[in-house]
Coordinates of all heavy atoms in Angstrom, one line a residue:
P11 N 212.8 132.4 189.6 CA 212.7 132.1 188.1 C 213.7 131.0 187.7 O 213.4 130.2 186.8 CB 213.0 133.5 187.5 CG 212.6 134.5 188.5 CD 212.9 133.8 189.8
A12 N 214.9 131.0 188.3 CA 215.8 130.0 187.9 C 215.4 128.6 188.3 O 215.6 127.6 187.5 CB 217.2 130.3 188.5
V13 N 214.8 128.5 189.4 CA 214.3 127.2 189.9 C 213.1 126.7 189.0 O 213.0 125.6 188.6 CB 213.9 127.3 191.4 CG1 213.1 126.0 191.8 CG2 215.1 127.5 192.3
I14 N 212.2 127.7 188.7 CA 211.1 127.3 187.8 C 211.6 126.9 186.4 O 211.1 126.0 185.9 CB 210.2 128.5 187.7 CG1 209.5 128.7 189.0 CG2 209.1 128.3 186.6 CD1 208.6 130.0 189.2
Y15 N 212.6 127.6 185.9 CA 213.2 127.2 184.6 C 213.7 125.8 184.7 O 213.5 125.0 183.8 CB 214.3 128.2 184.2 CG 215.1 127.8 183.0 CD1 214.6 128.0 181.8 CD2 216.3 127.2 183.1 CE1 215.3 127.6 180.6 CE2 217.1 126.8 182.0 CZ 216.5 127.0 180.8 OH 217.2 126.6 179.6
D16 N 214.5 125.5 185.8 CA 215.0 124.1 185.9 C 213.9 123.1 186.0 O 214.0 122.0 185.4 CB 215.8 124.0 187.2 CG 217.2 124.8 187.0 OD1 217.5 125.2 185.9 OD2 217.8 124.9 188.1
L17 N 212.8 123.4 186.7 CA 211.7 122.4 186.7 C 211.0 122.3 185.4 O 210.6 121.1 185.0 CB 210.7 122.9 187.8 CG 211.2 122.8 189.3 CD1 210.1 123.4 190.2 CD2 211.5 121.4 189.6
V18 N 210.8 123.4 184.7 CA 210.2 123.3 183.4 C 211.0 122.5 182.4 O 210.6 121.7 181.6 CB 209.8 124.7 182.8 CG1 209.4 124.7 181.4 CG2 208.7 125.3 183.6
L19 N 212.3 122.8 182.4 CA 213.3 122.1 181.5 C 213.3 120.6 181.9 O 213.2 119.8 181.0 CB 214.7 122.7 181.7 CG 215.8 121.9 181.0 CD1 215.6 121.9 179.4 CD2 217.2 122.6 181.3
G20 N 213.4 120.3 183.1 CA 213.4 118.9 183.5 C 212.1 118.2 183.1 O 212.1 117.0 182.6
A21 N 210.9 118.8 183.4 CA 209.7 118.2 183.0 C 209.5 118.0 181.5 O 209.1 116.9 181.1 CB 208.5 119.0 183.6
A22 N 209.8 119.1 180.8 CA 209.6 119.0 179.3 C 210.6 118.0 178.7 O 210.1 117.1 177.9 CB 209.8 120.4 178.7
A23 N 211.8 118.0 179.1 CA 212.8 117.1 178.5 C 212.5 115.6 179.0 O 212.6 114.7 178.2 CB 214.2 117.5 179.0
G24 N 212.1 115.5 180.3 CA 211.8 114.2 180.8 C 210.6 113.5 180.0 O 210.5 112.4 179.7
F25 N 209.5 114.3 179.8 CA 208.4 113.9 179.1 C 208.8 113.5 177.7 O 208.3 112.4 177.2 CB 207.2 114.9 179.1 CG 206.0 114.5 178.4 CD1 205.1 113.8 179.2 CD2 205.7 114.7 177.1 CE1 203.9 113.3 178.6 CE2 204.6 114.3 176.5 CZ 203.6 113.6 177.2
S26 N 209.6 114.3 177.0 CA 210.0 114.0 175.6 C 210.8 112.7 175.6 O 210.6 111.8 174.8 CB 210.8 115.1 175.1 OG 210.1 116.3 175.1
I27 N 211.8 112.6 176.5 CA 212.6 111.4 176.5 C 211.8 110.2 176.9 O 212.0 109.1 176.3 CB 213.8 111.6 177.5 CG1 214.7 112.7 177.0 CG2 214.5 110.3 177.8 CD1 215.7 113.2 178.0
G28 N 210.9 110.3 177.8 CA 210.0 109.2 178.1 C 209.1 108.8 176.9 O 208.9 107.6 176.7
W29 N 208.6 109.8 176.2 CA 207.8 109.4 175.0 C 208.7 108.7 174.0 O 208.2 107.7 173.4 CB 207.2 110.7 174.4 CG 206.3 110.4 173.3 CD1 205.0 110.1 173.4 CD2 206.6 110.4 171.9 NE1 204.5 109.9 172.1 CE2 205.5 110.1 171.2 CE3 207.8 110.7 171.1 CZ2 205.4 110.0 169.8 CZ3 207.7 110.6 169.8 CH2 206.6 110.3 169.1
F30 N 209.9 109.2 173.7 CA 210.8 108.5 172.8 C 211.1 107.1 173.3 O 211.2 106.1 172.5 CB 212.0 109.3 172.5 CG 211.8 110.5 171.6 CD1 212.0 111.8 172.0 CD2 211.4 110.3 170.3 CE1 211.8 112.9 171.2 CE2 211.2 111.4 169.4 CZ 211.4 112.7 169.9
G31 N 211.3 106.9 174.5 CA 211.6 105.6 175.1 C 210.4 104.7 174.9 O 210.6 103.5 174.6
W32 N 209.2 105.2 175.2 CA 208.0 104.4 175.0 C 207.8 104.0 173.6 O 207.5 102.9 173.2 CB 206.8 105.2 175.5 CG 205.5 104.6 175.2 CD1 205.0 103.5 175.9 CD2 204.5 105.0 174.3 NE1 203.7 103.2 175.4 CE2 203.4 104.1 174.4 CE3 204.5 106.0 173.3 CZ2 202.3 104.2 173.6 CZ3 203.4 106.1 172.5 CH2 202.3 105.2 172.6
L33 N 208.1 104.9 172.6 CA 208.0 104.6 171.2 C 209.0 103.6 170.8 O 208.6 102.6 170.1 CB 208.2 105.9 170.4 CG 207.9 105.9 168.9 CD1 206.4 105.7 168.7 CD2 208.4 107.1 168.2
I34 N 210.2 103.6 171.3 CA 211.2 102.6 170.9 C 210.8 101.3 171.5 O 211.0 100.3 170.9 CB 212.6 103.1 171.4 CG1 213.0 104.3 170.5 CG2 213.6 102.0 171.3 CD1 214.3 105.0 171.0
S35 N 210.4 101.3 172.8 CA 210.0 100.0 173.4 C 208.8 99.3 172.7 O 208.7 98.1 172.7 CB 209.7 100.2 174.9 OG 208.5 100.8 175.1
D36 N 207.9 100.1 172.2 CA 206.8 99.5 171.5 C 207.2 98.9 170.2 O 206.6 97.9 169.7 CB 205.8 100.6 171.2 CG 204.5 100.1 170.6 OD1 204.1 99.0 170.9 OD2 203.9 100.8 169.7
R37 N 208.2 99.4 169.6 CA 208.7 98.9 168.3 C 209.6 97.7 168.4 O 209.7 96.9 167.5 CB 209.5 100.0 167.5 CG 208.8 101.2 167.3 CD 207.7 101.0 166.2 NE 207.0 102.3 166.0 CZ 205.7 102.5 166.1 NH1 205.0 101.5 166.5 NH2 205.2 103.6 165.8
M38 N 210.1 97.4 169.6 CA 211.1 96.3 169.8 C 210.4 95.0 170.1 O 211.0 94.0 169.9 CB 212.0 96.7 170.9 CG 212.9 97.8 170.7 SD 214.1 98.1 171.9 CE 215.5 97.7 171.1
G39 N 209.2 95.0 170.6 CA 208.6 93.7 171.0 C 207.4 93.4 170.2 O 206.8 94.2 169.5
D40 N 207.0 92.1 170.3 CA 205.8 91.6 169.6 C 204.6 91.6 170.5 O 203.5 91.3 170.1 CB 206.0 90.2 169.1 CG 207.1 90.2 168.0 OD1 207.2 91.2 167.3 OD2 207.7 89.1 167.8
E41 N 204.8 91.9 171.8 CA 203.7 92.0 172.8 C 202.8 93.2 172.5 O 203.0 94.0 171.6 CB 204.2 92.0 174.2 CG 205.2 90.9 174.5 CD 206.6 91.5 174.6 OE1 206.8 92.6 175.0 OE2 207.5 90.7 174.2
A42 N 201.8 93.3 173.4 CA 201.0 94.5 173.3 C 201.8 95.8 173.7 O 202.8 95.7 174.3 CB 199.8 94.3 174.3
T43 N 201.2 96.9 173.3 CA 201.8 98.2 173.6 C 201.9 98.4 175.1 O 200.9 98.3 175.8 CB 201.1 99.3 173.0 OG1 201.0 99.0 171.5 CG2 201.7 100.6 173.2
P44 N 203.1 98.7 175.6 CA 203.2 99.0 177.1 C 202.5 100.3 177.4 O 202.4 101.2 176.5 CB 204.7 99.0 177.3 CG 205.3 99.4 176.0 CD 204.4 98.8 175.0
P45 N 202.1 100.5 178.6 CA 201.5 101.8 179.0 C 202.5 102.9 179.0 O 203.7 102.7 179.2 CB 201.0 101.5 180.4 CG 201.7 100.4 180.9 CD 202.1 99.5 179.7
F46 N 202.0 104.1 178.6 CA 202.9 105.2 178.4 C 203.3 105.8 179.8 O 204.5 106.3 179.9 CB 202.2 106.3 177.6 CG 203.0 107.6 177.5 CD1 204.2 107.7 177.0 CD2 202.4 108.7 178.1 CE1 204.9 108.9 176.9 CE2 203.1 109.9 178.1 CZ 204.3 110.0 177.5

Side-chain angles (χ1 to χ4, degrees):
V13 171
I14 291 172
Y15 173 80
D16 289 347
L17 291 175
V18 168
L19 172 62
F25 184 84
S26 300
I27 292 169
W29 186 82
F30 284 116
W32 174 74
L33 190 66
I34 290 168
S35 74
D36 184 36
R37 303 289 183 236
M38 295 184 111
D40 292 334
E41 307 103 37
T43 302
F46 171 66

